[in-house]
Amino acid sequence: MAEEQTKVEPEPAEKAPAKPERTTQRRPARKDAAGNVVFIGIKPVMNYVLAVITQFNEGNGEVVLKARGRAISRAVDVAEITRHRFLKELVVKDIKIGTEEVTGDRGTSNVSTVEVTLVKGA
Amino acid sequence: MAEEQTKVEPEPAEKAPAKPERTTQRRPARKDAAGNVVFIGIKPVMNYVLAVITQFNEGNGEVVLKARGRAISRAVDVAEITRHRFLKELVVKDIKIGTEEVTGDRGTSNVSTVEVTLVKGA
């Protein structure tokens, strides 16, 4: 149950079929030094909030939310809801924005990305 | 022309009718120490990109993009397009996320916000 929640698939429309270097991001979230990753897609916000809470309850000190395109605003929602309503000790450690090339039906296009790193505050 | 581009209205659906403390955000962008502000709404991305470029060309060293709700992903698009395609010396100095209470037709609800600060790099 917990593991299924952890691996949240990106929304199908945003999948890039031919970018081998990105396949590492599709693996199930690992518990390593970089912290666990929750991919934000098109599911309801609370699904992702639950995934983040699960990560912290499993003992992780850091969780990274990753989103692309229109899911970026949902990632911000997930971060805000989690830290204001559920885990009030959470702190936004870092926010990064970037651009990825996505190869879709209509050729290559650029999509914005965001990474929000949440950590348990002191 | 340039001044009109600078003051970009937030999208109408996101306007909060009764929040007096937020009215300061509605003023035309000022050239003060805090830098100029471009509000990201529902217009096409390039409108806002042009507004940001105009701000920097007028001599501002810093421009803040502000967005709420679903416009957050557009704000990230504006930042990424501006610094990758037009002003390559720009650096993302800071990104803040937050929550605002919005009073709408169906009562009060929370909406996520983002502030992206762009500065001319060294």
Side-chain angles (χ1 to χ4, degrees), chain A residues 51-94:
Chain A
V52 174
I53 294 171
T54 304
Q55 292 289 320
F56 280 112
N57 285 346
E58 284 177 352
N60 292 299
E62 185 172 314
V63 172
V64 180
L65 311 178
K66 292 193 181 187
R68 296 195 288 168
R70 275 174 292 176
I72 287 174
S73 33
R74 189 170 288 117
V76 176
D77 288 342
V78 171
E80 288 294 294
I81 291 171
T82 307
R83 72 195 186 103
H84 285 130
R85 266 198 242 165
F86 297 101
L87 300 172
K88 312 212 173 190
E89 77 273 30
L90 289 191
V91 174
V92 178
K93 184 185 165 194
D94 191 26

Short mmCIF file of all heavy atoms in Angstrom, two decimals, chain A residues 51-94:
data_model
loop_
_atom_site.label_atom_id
_atom_site.label_comp_id
_atom_site.label_asym_id
_atom_site.label_seq_id
_atom_site.Cartn_x
_atom_site.Cartn_y
_atom_site.Cartn_z
N ALA A 51 1.13 10.40 -0.31
CA ALA A 51 2.43 9.80 -0.67
C ALA A 51 3.57 10.49 0.08
O ALA A 51 4.49 9.82 0.58
CB ALA A 51 2.65 9.91 -2.18
N VAL A 52 3.51 11.81 0.19
CA VAL A 52 4.57 12.55 0.88
C VAL A 52 4.56 12.21 2.37
O VAL A 52 5.61 11.94 2.97
CB VAL A 52 4.39 14.08 0.68
CG1 VAL A 52 5.39 14.85 1.53
CG2 VAL A 52 4.54 14.43 -0.79
N ILE A 53 3.37 12.20 2.96
CA ILE A 53 3.25 11.87 4.40
C ILE A 53 3.81 10.47 4.66
O ILE A 53 4.54 10.25 5.63
CB ILE A 53 1.78 11.99 4.85
CG1 ILE A 53 1.32 13.44 4.77
CG2 ILE A 53 1.61 11.46 6.26
CD1 ILE A 53 -0.17 13.62 4.99
N THR A 54 3.47 9.54 3.77
CA THR A 54 3.96 8.16 3.91
C THR A 54 5.48 8.13 3.90
O THR A 54 6.12 7.45 4.71
CB THR A 54 3.41 7.30 2.76
OG1 THR A 54 1.99 7.38 2.77
CG2 THR A 54 3.84 5.85 2.92
N GLN A 55 6.07 8.88 2.98
CA GLN A 55 7.54 8.94 2.90
C GLN A 55 8.15 9.40 4.22
O GLN A 55 9.09 8.79 4.74
CB GLN A 55 7.98 9.89 1.80
CG GLN A 55 7.65 9.43 0.40
CD GLN A 55 8.51 8.26 -0.01
OE1 GLN A 55 9.70 8.24 0.30
NE2 GLN A 55 7.92 7.28 -0.66
N PHE A 56 7.62 10.46 4.76
CA PHE A 56 8.19 10.99 6.02
C PHE A 56 7.93 10.01 7.16
O PHE A 56 8.79 9.81 8.01
CB PHE A 56 7.60 12.37 6.34
CG PHE A 56 8.26 13.48 5.55
CD1 PHE A 56 7.56 14.16 4.58
CD2 PHE A 56 9.58 13.83 5.79
CE1 PHE A 56 8.17 15.18 3.85
CE2 PHE A 56 10.20 14.84 5.06
CZ PHE A 56 9.48 15.51 4.09
N ASN A 57 6.75 9.37 7.18
CA ASN A 57 6.44 8.43 8.26
C ASN A 57 7.30 7.18 8.19
O ASN A 57 7.48 6.49 9.18
CB ASN A 57 4.96 8.05 8.22
CG ASN A 57 4.10 9.17 8.76
OD1 ASN A 57 4.60 10.11 9.38
ND2 ASN A 57 2.81 9.10 8.50
N GLU A 58 7.83 6.87 7.01
CA GLU A 58 8.73 5.73 6.88
C GLU A 58 10.14 6.07 7.34
O GLU A 58 11.04 5.25 7.25
CB GLU A 58 8.76 5.25 5.42
CG GLU A 58 7.52 4.46 5.05
CD GLU A 58 7.54 4.06 3.58
OE1 GLU A 58 8.43 4.52 2.84
OE2 GLU A 58 6.65 3.29 3.18
N GLY A 59 10.35 7.28 7.75
CA GLY A 59 11.64 7.64 8.32
C GLY A 59 12.51 8.50 7.43
O GLY A 59 13.63 8.85 7.80
N ASN A 60 12.02 8.88 6.26
CA ASN A 60 12.80 9.75 5.40
C ASN A 60 12.81 11.16 5.97
O ASN A 60 11.78 11.66 6.43
CB ASN A 60 12.22 9.78 3.99
CG ASN A 60 12.39 8.44 3.29
OD1 ASN A 60 13.51 7.99 3.09
ND2 ASN A 60 11.27 7.81 2.97
N GLY A 61 13.97 11.80 5.91
CA GLY A 61 14.07 13.16 6.40
C GLY A 61 13.85 14.18 5.31
O GLY A 61 13.73 15.37 5.57
N GLU A 62 13.78 13.69 4.07
CA GLU A 62 13.70 14.60 2.92
C GLU A 62 12.88 13.97 1.81
O GLU A 62 13.06 12.80 1.50
CB GLU A 62 15.13 14.90 2.43
CG GLU A 62 15.23 15.92 1.33
CD GLU A 62 16.69 16.29 1.04
OE1 GLU A 62 17.45 16.53 1.98
OE2 GLU A 62 17.04 16.30 -0.15
N VAL A 63 11.99 14.74 1.23
CA VAL A 63 11.19 14.26 0.10
C VAL A 63 11.23 15.32 -0.99
O VAL A 63 11.11 16.52 -0.72
CB VAL A 63 9.73 13.97 0.51
CG1 VAL A 63 8.87 13.67 -0.72
CG2 VAL A 63 9.65 12.82 1.50
N VAL A 64 11.44 14.87 -2.23
CA VAL A 64 11.49 15.79 -3.37
C VAL A 64 10.24 15.59 -4.23
O VAL A 64 9.94 14.47 -4.64
CB VAL A 64 12.75 15.54 -4.22
CG1 VAL A 64 12.79 16.50 -5.41
CG2 VAL A 64 14.01 15.68 -3.38
N LEU A 65 9.51 16.67 -4.46
CA LEU A 65 8.38 16.65 -5.37
C LEU A 65 8.86 17.08 -6.74
O LEU A 65 9.49 18.13 -6.87
CB LEU A 65 7.29 17.62 -4.90
CG LEU A 65 6.85 17.55 -3.44
CD1 LEU A 65 5.80 18.62 -3.17
CD2 LEU A 65 6.29 16.18 -3.14
N LYS A 66 8.55 16.27 -7.76
CA LYS A 66 8.93 16.65 -9.13
C LYS A 66 7.70 16.74 -9.98
O LYS A 66 6.82 15.89 -9.92
CB LYS A 66 9.89 15.60 -9.72
CG LYS A 66 11.25 15.58 -9.06
CD LYS A 66 12.23 14.78 -9.89
CE LYS A 66 13.59 14.74 -9.21
NZ LYS A 66 14.61 14.11 -10.06
N ALA A 67 7.64 17.78 -10.80
CA ALA A 67 6.48 17.96 -11.68
C ALA A 67 6.92 18.65 -12.96
O ALA A 67 7.94 19.34 -12.99
CB ALA A 67 5.41 18.79 -10.98
N ARG A 68 6.12 18.44 -13.99
CA ARG A 68 6.36 19.08 -15.27
C ARG A 68 5.08 19.71 -15.77
O ARG A 68 3.99 19.25 -15.48
CB ARG A 68 6.83 18.06 -16.30
CG ARG A 68 8.15 17.44 -15.95
CD ARG A 68 8.74 16.75 -17.13
NE ARG A 68 8.04 15.53 -17.47
CZ ARG A 68 8.22 14.85 -18.60
NH1 ARG A 68 9.09 15.30 -19.50
NH2 ARG A 68 7.56 13.75 -18.84
N GLY A 69 5.27 20.75 -16.60
CA GLY A 69 4.13 21.36 -17.28
C GLY A 69 3.07 21.85 -16.32
O GLY A 69 3.37 22.46 -15.30
N ARG A 70 1.82 21.54 -16.64
CA ARG A 70 0.73 22.07 -15.84
C ARG A 70 0.65 21.43 -14.46
O ARG A 70 -0.07 21.94 -13.58
CB ARG A 70 -0.60 21.90 -16.58
CG ARG A 70 -0.84 23.05 -17.54
CD ARG A 70 -2.08 22.80 -18.36
NE ARG A 70 -1.90 21.68 -19.29
CZ ARG A 70 -2.86 21.20 -20.08
NH1 ARG A 70 -4.04 21.75 -20.05
NH2 ARG A 70 -2.61 20.21 -20.89
N ALA A 71 1.35 20.33 -14.26
CA ALA A 71 1.36 19.71 -12.92
C ALA A 71 2.19 20.52 -11.93
O ALA A 71 2.17 20.23 -10.73
CB ALA A 71 1.89 18.28 -13.01
N ILE A 72 2.91 21.53 -12.41
CA ILE A 72 3.76 22.32 -11.52
C ILE A 72 2.93 22.99 -10.43
O ILE A 72 3.30 22.98 -9.25
CB ILE A 72 4.55 23.37 -12.34
CG1 ILE A 72 5.66 22.67 -13.14
CG2 ILE A 72 5.14 24.44 -11.43
CD1 ILE A 72 6.40 23.58 -14.10
N SER A 73 1.79 23.56 -10.81
CA SER A 73 0.97 24.21 -9.78
C SER A 73 0.44 23.19 -8.78
O SER A 73 0.30 23.50 -7.59
CB SER A 73 -0.17 25.02 -10.41
OG SER A 73 -0.64 24.42 -11.57
N ARG A 74 0.18 21.97 -9.24
CA ARG A 74 -0.26 20.93 -8.31
C ARG A 74 0.86 20.57 -7.33
O ARG A 74 0.59 20.31 -6.15
CB ARG A 74 -0.75 19.70 -9.08
CG ARG A 74 -1.41 18.68 -8.17
CD ARG A 74 -2.12 17.58 -8.94
NE ARG A 74 -3.32 18.05 -9.58
CZ ARG A 74 -3.51 18.06 -10.90
NH1 ARG A 74 -2.60 17.60 -11.70
NH2 ARG A 74 -4.63 18.52 -11.40
N ALA A 75 2.08 20.57 -7.80
CA ALA A 75 3.21 20.27 -6.91
C ALA A 75 3.29 21.31 -5.79
O ALA A 75 3.56 20.96 -4.63
CB ALA A 75 4.52 20.24 -7.70
N VAL A 76 3.06 22.57 -6.13
CA VAL A 76 3.08 23.61 -5.11
C VAL A 76 1.92 23.40 -4.14
O VAL A 76 2.08 23.53 -2.92
CB VAL A 76 3.01 25.02 -5.76
CG1 VAL A 76 2.91 26.10 -4.69
CG2 VAL A 76 4.22 25.25 -6.64
N ASP A 77 0.76 23.03 -4.66
CA ASP A 77 -0.38 22.70 -3.79
C ASP A 77 -0.02 21.58 -2.82
O ASP A 77 -0.33 21.66 -1.63
CB ASP A 77 -1.59 22.26 -4.62
CG ASP A 77 -2.24 23.42 -5.39
OD1 ASP A 77 -1.98 24.58 -5.03
OD2 ASP A 77 -2.98 23.15 -6.34
N VAL A 78 0.60 20.53 -3.33
CA VAL A 78 0.95 19.38 -2.49
C VAL A 78 1.89 19.83 -1.36
O VAL A 78 1.69 19.49 -0.19
CB VAL A 78 1.62 18.27 -3.33
CG1 VAL A 78 2.18 17.17 -2.43
CG2 VAL A 78 0.62 17.68 -4.32
N ALA A 79 2.90 20.61 -1.72
CA ALA A 79 3.84 21.08 -0.70
C ALA A 79 3.13 21.92 0.35
O ALA A 79 3.33 21.74 1.56
CB ALA A 79 4.97 21.89 -1.37
N GLU A 80 2.29 22.84 -0.10
CA GLU A 80 1.62 23.75 0.83
C GLU A 80 0.62 23.03 1.72
O GLU A 80 0.57 23.27 2.94
CB GLU A 80 0.93 24.88 0.05
CG GLU A 80 1.91 25.88 -0.55
CD GLU A 80 2.63 26.65 0.53
OE1 GLU A 80 1.98 27.43 1.26
OE2 GLU A 80 3.85 26.47 0.65
N ILE A 81 -0.17 22.14 1.15
CA ILE A 81 -1.17 21.41 1.94
C ILE A 81 -0.46 20.51 2.95
O ILE A 81 -0.85 20.44 4.11
CB ILE A 81 -2.11 20.61 1.01
CG1 ILE A 81 -2.99 21.57 0.22
CG2 ILE A 81 -2.95 19.63 1.81
CD1 ILE A 81 -3.79 20.91 -0.88
N THR A 82 0.59 19.83 2.51
CA THR A 82 1.28 18.90 3.42
C THR A 82 1.84 19.64 4.61
O THR A 82 1.68 19.23 5.76
CB THR A 82 2.40 18.16 2.68
OG1 THR A 82 1.87 17.56 1.50
CG2 THR A 82 3.01 17.08 3.57
N ARG A 83 2.50 20.77 4.37
CA ARG A 83 3.18 21.41 5.49
C ARG A 83 2.27 22.30 6.33
O ARG A 83 2.56 22.56 7.48
CB ARG A 83 4.43 22.15 5.03
CG ARG A 83 4.20 23.42 4.26
CD ARG A 83 5.48 23.85 3.55
NE ARG A 83 5.30 25.15 2.91
CZ ARG A 83 5.77 26.30 3.40
NH1 ARG A 83 6.43 26.32 4.51
NH2 ARG A 83 5.56 27.43 2.76
N HIS A 84 1.16 22.74 5.77
CA HIS A 84 0.26 23.55 6.58
C HIS A 84 -0.78 22.74 7.32
O HIS A 84 -1.18 23.10 8.42
CB HIS A 84 -0.44 24.61 5.72
CG HIS A 84 0.46 25.74 5.36
ND1 HIS A 84 0.61 26.19 4.07
CD2 HIS A 84 1.29 26.50 6.12
CE1 HIS A 84 1.48 27.19 4.05
NE2 HIS A 84 1.92 27.39 5.28
N ARG A 85 -1.21 21.62 6.73
CA ARG A 85 -2.30 20.88 7.35
C ARG A 85 -1.86 19.63 8.07
O ARG A 85 -2.51 19.20 9.02
CB ARG A 85 -3.31 20.47 6.27
CG ARG A 85 -4.43 21.46 6.14
CD ARG A 85 -5.59 20.82 5.40
NE ARG A 85 -5.85 21.52 4.16
CZ ARG A 85 -6.60 21.01 3.17
NH1 ARG A 85 -7.12 19.81 3.28
NH2 ARG A 85 -6.79 21.72 2.09
N PHE A 86 -0.78 19.00 7.63
CA PHE A 86 -0.48 17.67 8.15
C PHE A 86 0.85 17.60 8.90
O PHE A 86 0.89 17.10 10.02
CB PHE A 86 -0.50 16.64 7.02
CG PHE A 86 -1.85 16.52 6.38
CD1 PHE A 86 -2.13 17.13 5.18
CD2 PHE A 86 -2.85 15.80 7.01
CE1 PHE A 86 -3.38 17.03 4.60
CE2 PHE A 86 -4.11 15.69 6.43
CZ PHE A 86 -4.38 16.31 5.23
N LEU A 87 1.92 18.06 8.29
CA LEU A 87 3.24 17.95 8.92
C LEU A 87 3.78 19.37 9.09
O LEU A 87 4.54 19.86 8.25
CB LEU A 87 4.18 17.09 8.06
CG LEU A 87 3.72 15.65 7.81
CD1 LEU A 87 4.63 14.97 6.80
CD2 LEU A 87 3.70 14.86 9.11
N LYS A 88 3.42 19.99 10.19
CA LYS A 88 3.72 21.42 10.34
C LYS A 88 5.19 21.71 10.58
O LYS A 88 5.61 22.87 10.56
CB LYS A 88 2.87 22.00 11.48
CG LYS A 88 1.42 21.58 11.33
CD LYS A 88 0.43 22.60 11.83
CE LYS A 88 -0.97 22.10 11.45
NZ LYS A 88 -2.05 22.99 11.63
N GLU A 89 5.98 20.66 10.86
CA GLU A 89 7.41 20.89 11.04
C GLU A 89 8.18 20.90 9.72
O GLU A 89 9.38 21.16 9.71
CB GLU A 89 8.01 19.84 11.99
CG GLU A 89 8.27 18.47 11.37
CD GLU A 89 7.06 17.55 11.45
OE1 GLU A 89 5.91 18.06 11.42
OE2 GLU A 89 7.25 16.32 11.51
N LEU A 90 7.49 20.66 8.61
CA LEU A 90 8.18 20.62 7.32
C LEU A 90 8.64 22.01 6.89
O LEU A 90 7.96 23.01 7.12
CB LEU A 90 7.28 20.03 6.24
CG LEU A 90 6.98 18.53 6.30
CD1 LEU A 90 6.30 18.10 5.01
CD2 LEU A 90 8.24 17.72 6.53
N VAL A 91 9.79 22.01 6.22
CA VAL A 91 10.36 23.25 5.71
C VAL A 91 10.66 23.05 4.22
O VAL A 91 11.09 21.96 3.82
CB VAL A 91 11.66 23.59 6.46
CG1 VAL A 91 12.35 24.80 5.85
CG2 VAL A 91 11.37 23.84 7.93
N VAL A 92 10.41 24.08 3.42
CA VAL A 92 10.80 24.04 2.02
C VAL A 92 12.28 24.35 1.95
O VAL A 92 12.70 25.49 2.15
CB VAL A 92 10.00 25.04 1.17
CG1 VAL A 92 10.48 25.01 -0.27
CG2 VAL A 92 8.52 24.74 1.24
N LYS A 93 13.08 23.32 1.69
CA LYS A 93 14.53 23.50 1.70
C LYS A 93 15.01 24.14 0.41
O LYS A 93 15.91 24.98 0.41
CB LYS A 93 15.20 22.13 1.87
CG LYS A 93 16.71 22.14 1.98
CD LYS A 93 17.21 20.70 2.01
CE LYS A 93 18.69 20.62 1.75
NZ LYS A 93 19.10 19.24 1.44
N ASP A 94 14.42 23.73 -0.69
CA ASP A 94 14.92 24.22 -1.97
C ASP A 94 13.83 24.08 -3.03
O ASP A 94 13.01 23.17 -2.97
CB ASP A 94 16.15 23.40 -2.39
CG ASP A 94 16.87 24.03 -3.56
OD1 ASP A 94 16.76 25.26 -3.73
OD2 ASP A 94 17.52 23.29 -4.32
#
